[in-house]
Amino acid sequence: MPVSNSEIIKNRAVVADDWTVLRLSEGDTADSVTIPAGKVILPLAVWQARRTELQGRTPLGVWLNSDAQADAIKDDLEQFEVIGINFPIFTDGRGYSIAFNLRTRYGYAGELRAIGDVLRDQLFYMQRVGFNAFAVRADKNIHDALKGLTDFSEKYQASWDEKTPLFRRVQRQPVTQD
Amino acid sequence: MYRYDQYDHQIVKERVAQYRDQVRRRLSNELAEDEFRILRLQNGLYMQRHAYMLRIAVPYGLLSAPQVRKFAHIARKYDRGYGHFTTRQNIQFNWIKLEESPDILAELATVEMHAIQTSGNCIRNITSDELAGVAADEVIDPRPYAEILREWSTFHPEFAYLPRKFKIAINGSEEDRAATAVHDIGLAMARNPAGDIGFRVMVGGGMGRTPIIGSVIREFLPWQHALTYLEAILRVYNQHGRRDNIYKARIKILVKAIGAEEFARQVEAEWIDIKDGPGTLTVEELQRVAQYFTAPAYETLPATDTGFETRKAEDKAFANWIKRNVKAHKVAGYAAVILSLKKTGVPPGDLTADQLDFVADLSERYSFGEVRVTHEQNLVLADVKQSELFALWQEAKAQGLATPNIGLLTDIICCPGGDFCSLANAKSIPIAQAIAEKFDNIDFQHDIGDIELNISGCINACGHHHIGNIGILGVDKDGAEWYQVSIGGAQGNNTSIGKIIGPSFSAHQMPAVIERLLDVYVKQRTEDERFIDTVQRIGVAPFKEFVYATPILLDQPHGEDACV
């Protein structure tokens, strides 16, 4: 299981992270798990099971696993300062669509953090669909991973970061043939 | 054909730099192999049986002469002197060194080429009709739309880690030459009653382990909505496609599981948010791209050239070649020529570096410097003057590229199989070669007529065996290579999946099995009836009965495999 760094990338810089991501261990249930004090990012199941108890607690974060849908929290967005999306393995691409829908369909404007198996070579795409924070896998160099955000300077298609596709954004002309 | 502008150049240049650094990090162990694997696959680099294989994208099969020359150069400098054209209209090289792969990509970038998304669980190379723009039966030229889809799908941030690979084909003619029904998305261009251009959208076709014909989820999608509608399809698939089982991860399984109607409903629901948004195509964008696909400087010529007609009447070999390898053109006095890469003795789809250079030269002298790749693994010179066909034929013949067998028995579609591919259960090239040798007689082949023989070395169906009139699938039984035969598959407007005729055969039996299938056909056919029509009329049973009726005795016994 990937463990967390004490630092994350946020808004294109490496910063200290004082949030705790709560993950249920074996034997824990959403109903009974002890929720630590302070800034905690809760599993969706815990939020859903203990909504009444947690109502009004600030600051609070929640994280969705890759098999969740953005609409699971669409009515609660104002409750959260951070929404995490978990990548159980970096090849699981569902989190990209969850992020995109949270941003575009439900208008979530707060911190959207990629957690789990988060690696340098996926960061460019992740920021494009709406992530602005990355809890890079702890065994990787987070300063090296930062470079992954700038792999490309142009993109063809629209997404969260770039609202208009290239064909609407610029005047494209053929280059002179050599 | 399409030419890069500064943005295309920039994106491909940055990709080369990104990939070069990924290779550096792999070699220094900053990247583990399982992390790097996914990255190199999205750059077309596979680890195969003997070495790395690099698959280079040929978007919708279109190449310029300098691009073909670059392949020749890559074959000589980085490989063993040849390349292999695939059923996805791409080319692959089989003997690549990891350390050199970034340099190859840098070389490709100089001729506006890349290997982006030729593998991996992302949107693959867009394929299309090799006769696009010239076919006599064309309704709408699909090439501008194919290029628009290429750009949209390139590095799409949301769809780079799909449950499985994703293949899109687009066709704009009356006849479907792009096998659209067996793609994840098949787009058939059409006009609605008002004359507007759009697509019939098919989803969930595919071959592999579970062959399925795609379902139409929208009869008419106006072209302006192509990107947003495809985005909706991909988003539904990305979120709901199965990820627990690699064999059930393609979109066809999802569409089958929930039904095409329900799938279409989910797509429409997903589409509502983005329909008419910024992703909606504009007339200006279509015009920008379409300007690259205007007609070349055709001469005004008579519909038939008398010199050509005379040659055809006098020279039977030339006439045979015209009959099979030359296709109708929409411009008077021109024809489209298919160069056969299926000469007996050569692996289907392979071309040497010298032949690649030759094809580039030929295209410049006879066809405006453009070459197309077909999904049947042949090449096309699309704009040849009738008056020059004879000269072209003689030159092509001298290079072994004029076998008059297009659409015939030895025009075999064949994957690289166990000789190269690490996924294969069995060899496929030697089977193709043994069959080609047995039926090398061109008069016999012309008598048999239109027939499609497809061979895959494994269930992944790179050789499209499911849609071959005769399909051969390599299977592994207790460590030995065996071959399962199906008949009745077809591509085109009446795409169908072949039916397996019975227990599998040894490699040595395969030519005799084909012979028996042909015997049944020849006995049963009515005048002008193609093999596939006979199969559809009389069913599989008569073929099955005859093939298994008596042991197959071989012309040249091969020890214990000599008979059933």
Side-chain angles (χ1 to χ4, degrees):
Chain A
M1 196 64 207
V3 281
S4 324
N5 253 305
S6 56
E7 291 180 315
I8 59 164
I9 293 172
K10 189 172 170 182
N11 298 329
R12 296 194 161 208
V14 176
V15 298
D17 175 39
D18 52 1
W19 287 82
T20 303
V21 177
L22 180 67
R23 290 177 181 272
L24 296 184
S25 308
E26 218 174 314
D28 285 341
T29 67
D31 293 315
S32 64
V33 68
T34 307
I35 299 172
K39 296 166 105 174
V40 58
I41 304 174
L42 301 169
L44 174 64
V46 173
W47 164 252
Q48 287 171 333
R50 305 191 21 204
R51 183 191 301 262
T52 325
E53 170 192 344
L54 291 163
Q55 210 78 37
R57 174 173 162 168
T58 52
L60 194 64
V62 69
W63 65 268
L64 277 55
N65 208 357
S66 58
D67 57 357
Q69 303 290 308
D71 64 4
I73 51 166
K74 68 179 197 297
D75 299 324
D76 304 331
L77 296 179
E78 69 288 354
Q79 306 273 344
F80 307 118
E81 204 160 297
V82 177
I83 296 176
I85 294 172
N86 187 46
F87 289 80
I89 179 163
F90 74 92
T91 53
D92 184 342
R94 289 175 287 188
Y96 296 83
S97 287
I98 300 171
F100 182 84
N101 277 342
L102 273 175
R103 290 295 197 198
T104 61
R105 180 171 300 169
Y106 303 124
Y108 176 66
E111 180 181 330
L112 190 57
R113 182 187 296 197
I115 63 172
D117 198 10
V118 178
L119 303 173
R120 165 178 167 169
D121 293 287
Q122 284 72 47
L123 296 194
F124 187 82
Y125 289 165
M126 286 177 172
Q127 73 178 348
R128 290 217 58 202
V129 296
F131 290 101
N132 66 336
F134 309 89
V136 176
R137 208 174 77 192
D139 63 325
K140 297 289 182 183
N141 181 331
I142 195 169
H143 297 278
D144 177 64
L146 194 57
K147 296 175 193 163
L149 292 171
T150 48
D151 281 341
F152 295 95
S153 58
E154 269 307 341
K155 27 215 126 141
Y156 288 116
Q157 61 298 95
S159 195
W160 164 253
D161 64 327
E162 184 65 75
K163 301 291 188 285
T164 47
L166 190 61
F167 67 79
R168 286 183 188 270
R169 196 160 17 99
V170 301
Q171 191 73 34
R172 298 186 67 182
Q173 299 289 345
V175 289
T176 322
Q177 302 190 7
D178 351 281
Chain B
M1 64 184 278
Y2 185 71
R3 295 292 316 238
Y4 282 10
D5 69 358
Q6 65 178 99
Y7 298 98
D8 302 297
H9 276 295
Q10 179 78 8
I11 287 167
V12 170
K13 204 176 103 193
E14 288 173 351
R15 171 57 142 196
V16 174
Q18 181 198 38
Y19 176 72
R20 193 181 289 282
D21 191 61
Q22 288 166 345
V23 171
R24 179 193 65 75
R25 282 184 280 138
R26 173 68 198 116
L27 293 172
S28 68
N29 264 325
E30 285 171 62
L31 271 172
E33 179 56 24
D34 64 342
E35 293 162 3
F36 177 64
R37 185 175 160 270
I38 308 300
L39 305 177
R40 67 167 159 76
L41 286 178
Q42 295 211 358
N43 258 305
L45 195 75
Y46 283 79
M47 183 63 205
Q48 287 293 28
R49 207 165 275 265
H50 310 288
Y52 282 103
M53 177 199 94
L54 182 67
R55 180 180 295 155
I56 296 162
V58 182
Y60 37 95
L62 243 54
L63 291 165
S64 67
Q67 291 175 332
V68 177
R69 276 193 198 98
K70 182 60 81 178
F71 292 161
H73 168 74
I74 290 167
R76 285 192 191 99
K77 184 171 176 188
Y78 300 100
D79 204 272
R80 294 188 180 178
Y82 64 96
H84 173 76
F85 288 99
T86 78
T87 51
R88 292 213 57 72
Q89 300 182 303
N90 292 320
I91 188 170
Q92 47 199 47
F93 292 97
N94 281 308
W95 304 93
I96 297 298
K97 293 187 185 73
L98 173 62
E99 294 80 351
E100 291 181 341
S101 58
D103 295 336
I104 300 175
L105 295 183
E107 293 218 29
L108 285 170
T110 65
V111 291
E112 307 182 4
M113 299 205 84
H114 58 72
I116 294 163
Q117 291 171 203
T118 53
S119 179
N121 294 336
C122 50
I123 304 171
R124 299 288 189 88
N125 184 44
I126 313 291
T127 55
S128 189
D129 174 8
E130 64 270 10
L131 298 181
V134 305
D137 68 340
E138 187 159 275
V139 182
I140 294 141
D141 184 350
R143 294 173 301 173
Y145 304 92
E147 172 57 27
I148 286 168
L149 289 175
R150 180 194 75 85
E151 295 180 20
W152 166 77
S153 59
T154 296
F155 304 141
H156 198 298
E158 197 181 337
F159 306 128
Y161 297 95
L162 295 168
R164 276 291 267 145
K165 57 187 169 182
F166 202 90
K167 298 174 178 179
I168 301 173
I170 178 167
N171 191 69
S173 287
E174 286 170 20
E175 188 187 338
D176 178 12
R177 280 181 290 267
T180 54
V182 284
H183 279 77
D184 295 293
I185 296 178
L187 300 171
M189 302 211 64
R191 284 183 192 276
N192 69 3
D196 307 319
I197 292 172
F199 312 92
R200 187 160 53 92
V201 183
M202 269 179 291
V203 176
M207 289 185 268
R209 192 168 299 257
T210 315
I212 296 179
I213 306 287
S215 305
V216 176
I217 62 163
R218 197 166 236 279
E219 273 300 337
F220 188 80
L221 177 74
W223 65 270
Q224 291 89 341
H225 299 302
L227 302 187
T228 54
Y229 194 78
L230 261 54
E231 180 180 328
I233 294 173
L234 267 298
R235 188 165 298 129
V236 171
Y237 170 57
N238 189 36
Q239 294 191 94
H240 302 289
R242 284 183 64 170
R243 289 174 185 264
D244 59 325
N245 182 340
I246 187 176
Y247 303 120
K248 298 188 174 184
R250 297 287 293 269
I251 194 173
K252 62 190 173 186
I253 304 293
L254 175 64
V255 173
K256 198 179 170 197
I258 66 176
E261 269 182 36
E262 169 59 16
F263 183 82
R265 191 196 63 74
Q266 292 187 17
V267 169
E268 298 285 328
E270 199 66 50
W271 191 38
I272 287 173
D273 279 358
I274 49 177
K275 183 177 186 281
D276 301 319
T280 308
L281 283 167
T282 59
V283 172
E284 292 72 27
E285 172 64 355
L286 181 62
Q287 282 171 347
R288 177 188 76 84
V289 180
Q291 70 178 321
Y292 294 100
F293 300 99
T294 51
Y298 292 122
E299 294 170 32
T300 305
L301 299 169
T304 50
D305 179 84
T306 47
F308 161 70
E309 292 298 333
T310 309
R311 290 282 192 188
K312 204 167 64 169
E314 287 169 353
D315 192 326
K316 190 192 165 199
F318 179 56
N320 274 346
W321 180 74
I322 293 292
K323 187 179 167 193
R324 299 309 318 190
N325 297 35
V326 174
K327 302 294 170 190
H329 198 289
K330 67 181 176 191
V331 176
Y334 283 85
V337 169
I338 305 182
L339 298 173
S340 172
L341 307 191
K342 311 295 179 66
K343 189 186 170 189
T344 299
V346 176
D350 274 18
L351 218 52
T352 66
D354 289 349
Q355 286 176 318
L356 285 161
D357 277 336
F358 168 76
V359 169
D361 292 350
L362 210 59
S363 75
E364 284 177 338
R365 280 185 285 125
Y366 293 104
S367 192
F368 301 98
E370 193 190 86
V371 179
R372 289 120 179 268
V373 187
T374 77
H375 80 266
E376 290 95 349
Q377 303 171 288
N378 293 307
L379 296 179
V380 171
L381 301 179
D383 297 296
V384 182
K385 281 191 269 187
Q386 269 184 21
S387 58
E388 295 188 332
L389 285 169
F390 188 76
L392 186 158
W393 173 65
Q394 288 184 309
E395 289 197 51
K397 203 158 54 121
Q399 292 288 329
L401 298 173
T403 310
N405 63 349
I406 299 305
L408 298 179
L409 187 59
T410 58
D411 184 13
I412 298 170
I413 294 180
C414 180
C415 73
D419 291 300
F420 296 99
C421 180
S422 53
L423 298 173
N425 290 321
K427 292 186 183 66
S428 47
I429 292 170
I431 304 300
Q433 289 180 330
I435 293 169
E437 273 166 33
K438 185 172 178 75
F439 301 103
D440 197 29
N441 183 322
I442 206 70
D443 289 333
F444 173 76
Q445 286 191 53
H446 278 252
D447 174 55
I448 294 298
D450 289 332
I451 188 164
E452 289 157 13
L453 175 55
N454 297 34
I455 307 176
S456 300
C458 81
I459 196 72
N460 291 304
C462 292
H464 295 180
H465 64 278
H466 294 296
I467 55 168
N469 301 162
I470 299 175
I472 299 175
L473 166 66
V475 292
D476 174 273
K477 280 204 295 198
D478 303 323
E481 296 181 4
W482 292 81
Y483 298 87
Q484 195 177 65
V485 175
S486 57
I487 60 171
Q491 60 167 322
N493 294 2
N494 296 303
T495 300
S496 60
I497 306 292
K499 291 189 180 69
I500 297 163
I501 62 167
S504 51
F505 304 94
S506 73
H508 302 308
Q509 291 173 318
M510 285 313 302
V513 170
I514 303 303
E515 185 174 40
R516 289 186 179 193
L517 291 171
L518 296 176
D519 281 350
V520 176
Y521 161 64
V522 169
K523 280 205 193 79
Q524 298 279 350
R525 69 177 165 188
T526 62
E527 205 177 344
D528 296 333
E529 193 176 47
R530 298 174 306 161
F531 178 86
I532 181 68
D533 299 325
T534 305
V535 175
Q536 282 168 358
R537 180 170 55 82
I538 68 176
V540 174
F543 293 91
K544 179 175 179 150
E545 276 161 30
F546 188 68
V547 170
Y548 293 97
T550 56
I552 293 176
L553 300 171
L554 302 173
D555 301 338
Q556 294 168 308
H558 292 264
E560 61 196 59
D561 278 337
C563 57
V564 178

